[in-house]
Amino acid sequence: MNMNEYVNNPDEAKEYWDRYRLFYLLLVISISLFSVRLWYLQIFNGAELRDFSDKNRLKEMKIKAPRGLMLDRNGEILVQNLLGFEAVILPQYIDDIEKLSQVVGPILNLEPQRVIERIKRSRRVNGAFAAVKLKEDLSREEVIRLKKIRLEVSGLEIRETILRNYPLGENGAQLFGYVGEISKKQLPKLNKDFDGKIRFEQGDIIGKNGLEETLELTIRGRDGVRLVQVDAHGRETVSSASPNLYSESLKNQEPISGQHAVLTLDKTVQEAAWKTMQTNQRIGGIVAMKTNGEILAWVSGPSFNPNELSTSISSATWTKLISDPFKPLRNKVIQDHASPGSTFKPLIALAALQENEISDSTIVSAPGVFYFGRRPYHDHNKGGHGNITVYEAIEKSSNVFFYKMGIALGVDKMFNYMSSLGIGSRTGVELKLEVPGLMPSSKWKKDNIGEDWQPGENLSTAIGQGFVASSLMQLAVSYNAIATEGLVVKPYVIQKILDMDGKTIKEHYPQILRNLQERQANGVQISKKNFQIVKEGMRRVANGNAGTARFWKIPGVPFAGKTGTAQVMSFSADQIYSNCTSRPMQQRHHGWFIGYAPADNPEITVAVLAEHSCHGNTGAVPLFRDVVQAYFQKYHPEVIEEGKKIAKVKAPSVEKPTASEDD
Amino acid sequence: MDISLVTGEKSFFHKVDWTLVVLILGLHGLGLINLYSATHGPLDQNVAGLFINQGIWLGIGWTVFFTMTLMDYSLLNRIAYVVYFLNLGALLYVTLFGKVALGAQRWIDLGPFHYQPSETMKLAMIVVLAKGLSRYSVHGKGLGFQELALPLFLLALPFGLVVEQPDLGTSMMITAVSVSMIIFCKVRRSIIMGAALFLAIAIPVAWKYGLHDYQRNRVLTFLSPNNDPRGTGYNSIQSRIAVGSGQFFGKGYRNGTQSQLEFLPERHTDFIFSVLSEEWGFVGSLLTLGLFAGLFYTLVRIASGARDKFGALLCVGILFYVFWHMFVNIGMVIGLLPIVGIPLPLVSYGGSSMLTTMTGLGLASSVAFRRYIF
């Protein structure tokens, strides 16, 4: 062996020749290992991994199905859809939230800090994979500016959306409802409620309140799915890079648009109702229906703008809506109940006549004060009304007359009649959150308050005070029963459901719940004659010389009805009517007027609640008149024209309406 | 003996080992084709310049290659220790003052480029071991403790420094190449058995106390990547999907969705082989392995024709250098080994790796240039 380092013998290098076999062994083993592994991945598992790579880059995008429209009875659009754009952040793809907020914030006129907060909050509340809507209903310019910076910031997406639009604006907002994103809390509950019918997902838009909520199943349609190619940052990419885009298992699915709803509403009447409420500066509710139960108009005020509420509403606006003492979000036609006050009197009169406590010729003494036991019960008119029949009692709204009827009938008889007429139970109109109201009975008081019924309570019950509470819709239904001489109908607002092509697939018809001329299970049966007596009394309210609503007329269309006052706060008897208008708004009484027209052959029934207007006559009757007039102007213009001619011939009335002569 | 008389009769053209050159060119070409695809996807905006950079590195690489070819490698035999200790000094400097990247200090800033002493240390190690080991004969029982003491000491110094940086991948590479060379020169069977036993005990201990969290995570992730598909397991899964989805013929050039849509991380450097497998399929992958096998065969052939033991061992060292880099890189890409930041020699983007590899192969070419003529 040569140990010299510097002079090598070439032959020596040959001594390694055997050792190269070691390396070849290593090489063969490793190349084989790699080849087998590559075969396993690319051939054996190739198809499966190809599928994986497709799923990697293909993202299922939900295409929202357009919700169905809402039309009025003549096909006029009440609720529709508009196309729009929204800016959305996908939190899982954000790589620089600071930069994103700095770039996107100013374009959308949002504080960068607020953008970060919103994203972080959504991450916390809805998880990292839920899209965060930064702004809905983007302007054209915003869309252009966002598109320019889209590639710079990962996580930003501009989506085409369908915006729900309510052309009537604030008018009828509580009836139509609005739409909004499902909250994470709502999700499990909704999926339970709609089990097997719709599968809701986070971020879905659903109807909130009103008909949007009631009709959810019908008008929401079915969302579609579109596959888009995305990069690892979730950005949509142009698919031309790859010809083999879609695997067979992955297919697009077209959205199916929702079905349309034709409502019983009449846009003209609806608009007239809202307009008169605005011009008279009233708040409260108006509901107008045909005597068969088809609702023509339904307004509640003050109101809110559902267009605003259906896109992302600022929390300031929301707080304002929630804390408004006059409750704009509430549907005052069905969600509030109050003492019906004097509007109760025609109903009590029916009971008294039918029970033969009086006949139409019975004369009853109606002084200004009535003592029951030792307690004085006052009339609103200090001098009283003298000796009167039931006609005058209704016309002048005598309290004492009806105190006496209350004593004669007793609470349980009144309960039977009032219940049959629809007081104290839900009318069954399609909207949620309808209150049942309350009609007391002796049993009810025992069960719920634990006390016996006091005879004195018969008096207040008979004039619609005390425990009695009724919603505007209930009063409309019970007055409609008088107008039709006994038919208690189920009011309804959804007339037809149309499919996409406008073909009717479901139709609703008027539904008579009871005919009171026939004997009811609780023994109540009211004769045609007695209905006619009460109707005459109510005709005089608007047309008689002393009627509480006689200052408002519709040319050619005499109407009938009854005024009433609902106390908001308890006052002593002499305070009740004296100084209402001098009190703060929130303490003033509500005014009612419920009636129908024409008086002799009624076509429509209209109920008006004028909150905090102090009086039923000045507060509510003008609104009633405008709504009825709008209806007749549209459907019977000749009657109005004829009436106007006659009115010109007659001398104009010199009397001026006085609010004090109320109820 | 006057060697020039033996070799001097032939011209430069005849003395260069053209098989080696062609194979390297083949791998370079493969690398460039894939680099173009990986840097010219629909989303790439600022990486197209990398392709040009790589071209420049290739030019420099070939210049170095032929410079080394013309240089008599015997010079290295004389200055082996100088090379080794200079490099060690640089390594020590980096460990103490180097630039920090990804939680490790690895390079010295030299203006336009970064000098990474751990990279050249691989070559210095090969040179110094070739010198040391060429003194011993492979006839007989093999190397004993006495003979092993110096090589292991020479290995221990840089190993310690690189681990300290910390750069586990490179330190393992240095060890793998060095140990391969030592074993190539035949070690006593009893020592090999003893070392195996020692490792069996030492590895669990090192696992517990010697590794950084991120290093431990990488190994854990390798063992079950699906535990954390969005985190540390992401690279491994995406790479496997890329390779597998290529199927037999691949998705076609520049049609690899995994790479074009940026699902693959580090696709122009460490994961270049995934790009290749995705777009060229099983066929392309095997072709690449074939080119490497051809390169290895050529290096063995050059080594066995070397005029002296130092030259032969130099070639063997470079052979192991390329082999282990390829082995770890491809093993990692196809999910057989944990994710370690080791590039695929001659194919991956990166100047440092390119220069080192081309210098090494240039040395092998120098050995071939001065080969023993029968």
Side-chain angles (χ1 to χ4, degrees), chain B residues 219-288:
Chain B
V219 179
L220 283 176
T221 302
F222 160 70
L223 295 173
S224 53
N226 296 318
N227 279 353
D228 183 13
R230 270 261 157 220
T232 39
Y234 180 83
N235 295 359
S236 181
I237 291 174
Q238 293 298 351
S239 173
R240 247 183 278 177
I241 292 175
V243 172
S245 64
Q247 295 182 296
F248 194 77
F249 287 112
K251 292 178 181 169
Y253 185 49
R254 298 185 66 195
N255 274 343
T257 53
Q258 287 288 104
S259 51
Q260 302 294 327
L261 300 175
E262 301 185 354
F263 288 98
L264 271 178
E266 305 290 332
R267 57 200 175 284
H268 53 279
T269 57
D270 296 351
F271 285 88
I272 194 79
F273 189 75
S274 329
V275 178
L276 189 144
S277 295
E278 188 188 16
E279 299 186 348
W280 299 95
F282 190 58
V283 176
S285 312
L286 285 196
L287 176 78
T288 313

Side-chain angles (χ1 to χ4, degrees), chain B residues 295-317:
Chain B
L295 180 66
F296 299 143
Y297 174 79
T298 308
L299 286 172
V300 170
R301 187 172 50 70
I302 293 172
S304 57
R307 71 177 179 192
D308 53 23
K309 286 173 79 175
F310 175 73
L313 280 183
L314 210 51
C315 280
V316 168

Side-chain angles (χ1 to χ4, degrees), chain A residues 58-77:
Chain A
L58 295 177
K59 192 171 65 168
E60 281 194 4
M61 294 260 293
K62 217 168 180 178
I63 319 171
K64 297 238 159 78
R67 286 172 83 84
L69 308 176
M70 291 190 207
L71 309 168
D72 88 339
R73 61 194 300 124
N74 302 312
E76 300 261 12
I77 287 173

Side-chain angles (χ1 to χ4, degrees), chain A residues 542-562:
Chain A
N543 302 285
N545 293 329
T548 52
R550 66 180 180 278
F551 305 108
W552 296 272
K553 297 273 191 282
I554 301 164
V557 188
F559 60 85
K562 183 70 192 80

Side-chain angles (χ1 to χ4, degrees), chain A residues 15 19 37 50 56 233 241, chain B residues 138 183-184 245 255 258 334:
Chain A
E15 73 173 62
R19 305 295 293 173
R37 175 69 177 178
R50 173 72 65 99
N56 238 349
H233 313 287
Chain B
V138 293
I183 292 175
F184 179 84
S245 64
N255 274 343
Q258 287 288 104
I334 63 181

Side-chain angles (χ1 to χ4, degrees), chain B residues 88-302:
Chain B
L88 203 63
L91 208 51
L92 184 66
Y93 175 83
V94 165
T95 309
L96 296 178
F97 314 107
K99 295 274 176 189
V100 175
L102 299 171
Q105 57 243 85
R106 288 180 183 172
W107 60 61
I108 300 170
D109 209 339
L110 288 183
F113 72 103
H114 304 305
Y115 169 52
Q116 217 172 316
S118 57
E119 199 59 41
T120 51
M121 194 66 223
K122 292 172 186 167
L123 287 180
M125 214 44 229
I126 292 170
V127 170
V128 81
L129 280 181
K131 179 188 171 82
L133 292 168
S134 62
R135 291 159 62 195
Y136 307 114
S137 168
V138 293
H139 302 302
K141 285 192 282 181
L143 305 175
F145 280 113
Q146 224 176 341
E147 292 91 348
L148 283 174
L150 181 66
L152 288 180
F153 174 73
L154 293 175
L155 169 61
L157 289 178
F159 178 82
L161 287 175
V162 179
V163 165
E164 196 54 36
Q165 283 185 359
D167 184 349
L168 198 66
T170 306
S171 53
M172 302 251 293
M173 267 307 148
I174 294 177
T175 311
V177 173
S178 306
V179 171
S180 301
M181 285 177 75
I182 293 169
I183 292 175
F184 179 84
C185 290
K186 202 169 180 184
V187 177
R188 275 183 204 165
R189 186 158 298 180
S190 57
I191 293 179
I192 291 185
M193 298 296 230
L197 191 70
F198 171 76
L199 285 180
I201 297 162
I203 286 176
V205 177
W207 170 257
K208 192 124 197 249
Y209 303 106
L211 293 182
H212 277 252
D213 275 349
Y214 81 95
Q215 292 164 334
R216 217 170 297 158
N217 269 340
R218 279 184 185 178
V219 179
L220 283 176
T221 302
F222 160 70
L223 295 173
S224 53
N226 296 318
N227 279 353
D228 183 13
R230 270 261 157 220
T232 39
Y234 180 83
N235 295 359
S236 181
I237 291 174
Q238 293 298 351
S239 173
R240 247 183 278 177
I241 292 175
V243 172
S245 64
Q247 295 182 296
F248 194 77
F249 287 112
K251 292 178 181 169
Y253 185 49
R254 298 185 66 195
N255 274 343
T257 53
Q258 287 288 104
S259 51
Q260 302 294 327
L261 300 175
E262 301 185 354
F263 288 98
L264 271 178
E266 305 290 332
R267 57 200 175 284
H268 53 279
T269 57
D270 296 351
F271 285 88
I272 194 79
F273 189 75
S274 329
V275 178
L276 189 144
S277 295
E278 188 188 16
E279 299 186 348
W280 299 95
F282 190 58
V283 176
S285 312
L286 285 196
L287 176 78
T288 313
L289 289 182
L291 279 175
F292 272 109
L295 180 66
F296 299 143
Y297 174 79
T298 308
L299 286 172
V300 170
R301 187 172 50 70
I302 293 172

Side-chain angles (χ1 to χ4, degrees), chain A residues 20-39:
Chain A
Y20 295 124
R21 265 186 263 151
L22 261 181
F23 176 76
Y24 282 132
L25 187 67
L26 184 62
L27 185 64
V28 167
I29 290 173
S30 48
I31 298 278
S32 314
L33 186 68
F34 286 177
S35 303
V36 170
R37 175 69 177 178
L38 283 167
W39 171 86

